[in-house]
Amino acid sequence: MEKKPKYEELERRVQELETHYSQLEKKLYQARFFSEEIMTYMTEGLVLTDTRGTVIFINQRLSEMLGLLPEEIIGKSWLDMVPVEQQTIAEEAEARRVQGHTDRYEIILGHKDGHKFPVVIGAGPRFDKQDGQYIGTMGVVTDITERKQAIEALEEREAFIKATLDNLPVGVAVNSVEPKVHFSYMNENFAAFYRTTREALAAPNDFWEVVYTDATFREEIKKRVLEDCAGNDPERMHWEDVPISRPGKKPFYITAKNIPLPERDLMVSTVWDVTERKLAEEALRESEVRFKALHNASFGGIAIHDQGFILECNQGLSEMTGYEYSELVGMNGLLLIAERSRETVMNNIRTGYEKPYEAFGLRKNGEEFPMRLEARNVPYKGEQVRTVEFRDITEQKRADAENEKLQAQLIQSQKMQSVGRLAGGVAHDFNNMLGVIMGNTEMALDQADSTQPLHDNLQEIQKAAIRSTNVVRQLLAFARKQTIAPRVLDLNATVEEMLKMLRRLIGEDIDLSWQPGHDIWPVKMDPSQIDQILANLSVNARDAIAGVGKLTIETGKVSFDEAYCSEHQGFVSGDFVLLAVSDNGCGMDAETLKNLFEPFFTTKEVGKGTGLGLATVYGIAKQNNGFVNVYSEPDQGTTFKIYLPRHRTVDETTRPERADTEETHGSETILLVEDETTILKMTRMMLERLGYTVLTAATSGEAMDVARENSEEINLLMTDVVMPEMNGRDLAGKLLTLYPNLKWLFMSGYTANVIAHHGVLDEGVSFIQKPFSKQDLAAKVRKVLDEKD
């Protein structure tokens, strides 16, 4: 049956609609597929939720961030993806979006493996395009871990730069220059070098008025600086040795330099305090002027040479030889010596000979003349050179009378040098004798009636002994003045920092034993000086040890009262921190000990030592109000004791600590053995004053004889450790056969640790350190006697 026309038309329209719908559906699918492709593979995380906050879509990037598959997330609440401690932030953001607000906030999310990471979420509401109803939320999630790390790294770098600038030895600031100096940064040294504070330089204060109090100079320097800075030329923005004065104070000097930052309209200002250098330069100039004046005023010729080549000379040498000053400087000085004397002079230069001797000189005209030369090795402009005095003795040789006069002067000069050496040589023994005189006088004063003439006589003896002690101290004194930066130190910590270096310094064959004291007091001094002391003493110990040996470093604390110091030359009353350095090397004899701290004195071979090491140790101790004590015997090693004053902090009391001054007495019998007669007598009197019966012996053999002849019990043997014939330990062993209950007390100038290392003492054996006071002796003897067997 034929279709009716209207149905054909309708069918055609339906087909057209179906075709159009199919095309629309295809385009919609393509658009949706394209949109999902973009969302899936975009570099940021993407999440879509419905009106209840349930996840309906998550892209691949967010899935990777969370470590979860999409099916593990879709259908769950978005809040389930947020750590508990962060959910309040997420809930508040969700509430704002429901109200139609777009939001951006930072939050912490968690990965499936447990690690957490920071993100920024940009989220906004989604609305139905047909009716405009709220249908959910779309959120873009950005992982900001790398950004956070970059920010933290930048903050750490900025902190490092600030810390570096704060601790630089120069002053540094960042500031504007005009119309007014305003600081955006300055370190402590910047204000300190201007002798002011950060607060004083801060706005609204005027930099120029704070720093330059003199109005005229202020305007001059301000004008100069502003003019130099105007062109932003770094070459002009450098000002050397600017003097700054303050009312009632000494002027100081600074050197400043600015570096422009034109893009920020700022300057980096640096400043150095050059006061010490300026003062040193001025002192040097004055010294050179004085030197030149004395140099040219000398009656003889003077030259400074390096391996024979003349570096400087005076007018006297020019007049003596006939050469001009300009000809002499740079000349080989051997050309001033006649051929027959050159070998002697050259040999004296090589060996560093420093005594006067005669030679023949050669003038410019070829004339030979007799002269006397005397040279010294001295530092000059940072180098070791020789200064030589030339004396033309032609007239002396011709005239006998003049010759005798000059000879007498020379002999007198040599005598004075000998006296100086003698004073240094006998000082040690002289002080021991003075100690005995003063100790005996003090004990006699305790017994003498103050109303009797004898008491006055004893006081005069005591005063004379004290004056003699001061004379000896003056004879031995010499100053060490070096620029230092003292600070409060823990001596144990400072020494421990040096141990590794010291072990390398002394070598593998020498064992380094570190014996730190407990609860020692702080000291205030430059830590580099501790390093100097340890290095010098360790090198000396290394050179004193042949082959395998031991070096012991100890610290401790000790107090001396006035009574003790009056009996021991060189000691100072007060609280001290002890640094002791001991070795078991070759030791030193009395002659060496006498010259130990003299500058340039050395027992080492030529070229092996300068003779300044121990002089430096002595000078450092003196400069810090401390002192040094040395104990040594040949083949028994050496102990150096450096006593450094205790440093008291502001909140510590300055009242000295007082020990129990009550002396303990006894009635037992003591056998005292000491090979030094004065110490033997002094110790005997101390013990007898304490009530003990004392038998004395100067040698081990004499001690055995006394013990055999004695009919009563001997309770205590008090003996020196190192003695001729046999040591104290062997003596004690022999005496035990006569007195099985005998107790021992050893005494020595070495420390207990060093004595133990020598193998003389066993651990736990009683020991008292020389020198000791009567109070120390009383306590130690009583303690040993009261100990149970």
Side-chain angles (χ1 to χ4, degrees):
M1 182 176 66
E2 293 184 357
K3 295 180 180 179
K4 294 182 178 181
K6 65 178 181 177
Y7 289 110
E8 291 177 353
E9 177 65 19
L10 182 60
E11 186 175 309
R12 184 181 63 81
R13 291 291 298 166
V14 168
Q15 288 176 349
E16 288 177 354
L17 287 173
E18 286 178 348
T19 301
H20 181 66
Y21 177 77
S22 176
Q23 290 174 343
L24 286 176
E25 189 176 52
K26 184 177 181 180
K27 288 181 180 180
L28 179 61
Y29 174 79
Q30 290 175 341
R32 182 178 179 183
F33 177 79
F34 180 69
S35 176
E36 288 185 355
E37 282 286 301
I38 292 175
M39 290 190 294
T40 298
Y41 296 106
M42 63 188 295
T43 58
E44 309 296 331
L46 183 67
V47 59
L48 301 179
T49 65
D50 60 17
T51 57
R52 293 174 298 175
T54 301
V55 178
I56 59 174
F57 175 81
I58 179 174
N59 71 347
Q60 182 176 338
R61 175 59 183 143
L62 185 55
S63 175
E64 292 170 353
M65 288 184 190
L66 299 174
L68 299 170
L69 297 174
E71 53 266 29
E72 294 180 272
I73 301 173
I74 294 174
K76 295 183 180 179
S77 172
W78 165 247
L79 293 178
D80 292 343
M81 305 300 108
V82 179
V84 175
E85 65 272 14
Q86 298 285 309
Q87 287 194 358
T88 302
I89 300 174
E91 289 172 351
E92 292 175 352
E94 184 67 21
R96 289 192 295 272
R97 285 192 294 278
V98 170
Q99 296 173 4
H101 299 291
T102 300
D103 207 358
R104 181 178 178 84
Y105 59 98
E106 187 174 318
I107 197 170
I108 302 295
L109 293 181
H111 191 273
K112 184 178 181 179
D113 64 9
H115 84 267
K116 296 182 180 181
F117 55 96
V119 299
V120 169
I121 299 178
R126 295 187 300 116
F127 299 99
D128 189 285
K129 293 184 178 180
Q130 299 296 324
D131 57 17
Q133 291 295 314
Y134 171 72
I135 60 173
T137 301
M138 178 176 70
V140 177
V141 183
T142 304
D143 187 340
I144 58 172
T145 301
E146 291 185 359
R147 186 194 312 171
K148 283 279 190 179
Q149 291 173 343
I151 292 172
E152 290 174 0
L154 180 61
E155 289 174 346
E156 288 178 2
R157 179 175 177 79
E158 289 177 349
F160 172 76
I161 292 172
K162 185 178 183 301
T164 302
L165 293 175
D166 285 344
N167 290 282
L168 283 176
V170 299
V172 181
V174 179
N175 58 275
S176 61
V177 177
E178 292 186 288
K180 188 176 182 179
V181 177
H182 176 73
F183 295 97
S184 54
Y185 166 80
M186 78 171 74
N187 67 2
E188 286 288 349
N189 276 340
F190 187 85
F193 287 171
Y194 279 114
R195 307 298 194 271
T196 184
T197 63
R198 286 177 170 179
E199 293 74 18
L201 293 177
N205 297 332
D206 184 77
F207 167 80
W208 304 104
E209 292 182 359
V210 171
V211 173
Y212 301 97
T213 55
D214 183 277
T216 303
F217 183 71
R218 179 199 309 146
E219 293 306 315
E220 290 178 0
I221 191 69
K222 181 178 180 180
K223 179 182 178 183
R224 175 186 166 189
V225 171
L226 293 179
E227 287 177 353
D228 290 345
C229 291
N232 280 341
D233 182 0
E235 295 297 324
R236 293 187 60 190
M237 289 187 281
H238 191 115
W239 306 277
E240 293 277 355
D241 302 344
V242 179
I244 302 177
S245 59
R246 302 279 168 78
K249 295 183 179 180
K250 293 182 179 180
F252 59 95
Y253 298 84
I254 59 101
T255 289
K257 183 176 182 179
N258 283 359
I259 301 173
L261 302 174
E263 68 280 1
R264 301 180 64 181
D265 198 23
L266 292 173
M267 291 282 182
V268 176
S269 300
T270 52
V271 60
W272 296 263
D273 186 343
V274 295
T275 304
E276 289 188 5
R277 175 177 61 78
K278 284 290 293 182
L279 295 178
E281 288 174 353
E282 291 175 3
L284 180 61
R285 281 193 293 270
E286 292 175 1
S287 176
E288 288 178 345
V289 170
R290 290 194 299 270
F291 171 75
K292 285 281 189 182
L294 292 172
H295 204 45
N296 290 320
S298 171
F299 294 106
I302 297 178
I304 298 173
H305 74 84
D306 184 5
Q307 299 299 315
F309 287 92
I310 297 174
L311 305 175
E312 182 60 82
C313 67
N314 70 342
Q315 188 63 30
L317 186 62
S318 176
E319 294 172 355
M320 183 184 300
T321 61
Y323 288 96
E324 295 294 330
Y325 170 82
S326 58
E327 295 177 293
L328 288 170
V329 175
M331 176 190 289
N332 186 340
L334 292 175
L335 297 177
L336 302 178
I337 307 299
E339 185 67 33
R340 52 178 165 167
S341 296
R342 284 183 185 172
E343 184 176 348
T344 299
V345 174
M346 289 174 64
N347 184 62
N348 288 343
I349 291 174
R350 283 194 298 268
T351 61
Y353 188 75
E354 293 192 348
K355 294 181 179 180
Y357 65 98
E358 293 184 3
F360 283 92
L362 187 65
R363 306 189 202 276
K364 185 177 181 180
N365 60 10
E367 176 190 353
E368 292 187 3
F369 65 100
M371 62 180 179
R372 178 178 292 107
L373 299 176
E374 186 171 0
R376 290 285 185 274
N377 296 314
V378 297
Y380 177 77
K381 295 185 177 179
E383 300 290 337
Q384 282 294 321
V385 297
R386 283 172 70 83
T387 178
V388 185
E389 181 182 21
F390 298 78
R391 287 279 183 175
D392 186 343
I393 57 174
T394 303
E395 295 301 320
Q396 175 189 338
K397 293 290 185 181
R398 291 175 183 173
D400 290 342
E402 184 67 12
N403 182 59
E404 290 176 0
K405 179 180 178 181
L406 292 175
Q407 288 293 331
Q409 291 177 349
L410 178 60
I411 292 171
Q412 180 64 21
S413 174
Q414 291 173 336
K415 284 182 179 180
M416 293 305 295
Q417 291 180 2
S418 298
V419 169
R421 277 198 163 279
L422 180 62
V426 304
H428 178 73
D429 294 334
F430 188 37
N431 281 332
N432 282 341
M433 289 184 285
L434 280 174
V436 174
I437 293 170
M438 293 170 67
N440 281 284
T441 304
E442 183 180 18
M443 286 189 285
L445 281 168
D446 291 340
Q447 294 180 325
D449 187 342
S450 61
T451 62
Q452 297 297 318
L454 176 62
H455 190 275
D456 295 335
N457 294 336
L458 289 171
Q459 283 187 327
E460 290 303 316
I461 294 173
Q462 188 180 50
K463 291 178 182 177
I466 293 172
R467 286 196 297 271
S468 299
T469 302
N470 291 333
V471 170
V472 175
R473 185 179 293 114
Q474 291 169 2
L475 285 173
L476 296 176
F478 64 92
R480 297 283 165 186
K481 296 182 178 179
Q482 63 187 79
T483 302
I484 59 174
R487 63 173 188 255
V488 179
L489 301 175
D490 176 350
L491 187 58
N492 282 347
T494 305
V495 173
E496 284 174 355
E497 291 178 357
M498 279 286 290
L499 294 180
K500 186 175 182 180
M501 187 276 285
L502 294 177
R503 287 192 171 95
R504 291 198 300 267
L505 191 64
I506 62 178
E508 297 179 352
D509 290 336
I510 299 176
D511 180 32
L512 175 58
S513 176
W514 166 227
Q515 304 285 340
H518 298 292
D519 301 320
I520 65 171
W521 298 310
V523 296
K524 186 174 184 181
M525 64 184 297
D526 191 324
S528 66
Q529 292 186 307
I530 298 293
D531 298 350
Q532 283 181 278
I533 290 173
L534 291 173
N536 282 322
L537 295 182
S538 297
V539 168
N540 271 22
R542 179 197 65 193
D543 296 342
I545 296 172
V548 178
K550 189 151 194 166
L551 172 66
T552 303
I553 301 176
E554 306 170 63
T555 58
K557 56 184 180 181
V558 63
S559 299
F560 301 107
D561 57 22
E562 292 291 344
Y564 179 88
C565 296
S566 67
E567 297 175 5
H568 298 86
Q569 171 64 28
F571 282 69
V572 180
S573 62
D575 296 336
F576 293 86
V577 177
L578 169 66
L579 173 62
V581 179
S582 309
D583 66 74
N584 62 350
C586 62
M588 293 176 282
D589 58 22
E591 186 61 32
T592 302
L593 286 171
K594 294 172 188 175
N595 301 291
L596 199 59
F597 296 115
E598 286 185 12
F600 306 108
F601 174 79
T602 181
T603 58
K604 299 176 184 178
E605 299 175 7
V606 175
K608 293 294 182 65
T610 63
L612 290 173
L614 294 180
T616 299
V617 172
Y618 180 89
I620 290 172
K622 286 294 185 183
Q623 189 173 19
N624 289 280
N625 299 315
F627 56 95
V628 183
N629 184 261
V630 186
Y631 191 89
S632 183
E633 292 185 24
D635 301 322
Q636 296 297 327
T638 302
T639 293
F640 285 89
K641 297 177 185 175
I642 295 91
Y643 295 93
L644 301 170
R646 171 189 184 182
H647 175 72
R648 296 181 183 274
T649 55
V650 176
D651 58 345
E652 279 189 290
T653 176
T654 58
R655 182 177 300 172
E657 296 178 359
R658 299 186 180 273
D660 185 4
T661 58
E662 182 180 351
E663 294 177 349
T664 53
H665 294 66
S667 58
E668 291 89 340
T669 298
I670 299 174
L671 174 56
L672 176 64
V673 187
E674 169 60 62
D675 59 350
E676 178 64 41
T677 305
T678 55
I679 297 176
L680 179 66
K681 290 181 179 179
M682 172 67 71
T683 307
R684 176 179 181 174
M685 284 192 293
M686 287 181 176
L687 290 169
E688 289 178 341
R689 292 287 178 84
L690 294 169
Y692 298 101
T693 299
V694 183
L695 307 175
T696 60
T699 66
S700 299
E702 186 178 342
M704 292 297 299
D705 293 338
V706 171
R708 291 189 189 101
E709 295 169 4
N710 184 64
S711 60
E712 298 180 0
E713 179 75 11
I714 297 177
N715 306 105
L716 175 67
L717 167 66
M718 184 173 177
T719 177
D720 194 6
V721 175
V722 181
M723 294 189 301
E725 300 179 4
M726 72 176 73
N727 63 40
R729 179 181 178 178
D730 294 338
L731 173 61
K734 289 182 177 294
L735 287 176
L736 276 176
T737 61
L738 299 175
Y739 298 95
N741 296 322
L742 181 69
K743 295 185 177 180
W744 312 341
L745 175 58
F746 293 104
M747 52 186 176
S748 176
Y750 295 103
T751 65
N753 287 315
V754 175
I755 294 297
H757 297 155
H758 279 305
V760 179
L761 290 182
D762 293 325
E763 185 177 357
V765 172
S766 298
F767 173 82
I768 187 168
Q769 183 86 42
K770 290 182 182 177
F772 44 78
S773 65
K774 181 182 176 184
Q775 181 182 335
D776 293 337
L777 179 61
K780 192 69 176 182
V781 168
R782 191 68 263 159
K783 179 181 178 183
V784 174
L785 287 170
D786 291 341
E787 286 177 348
K788 295 182 179 180
D789 295 332

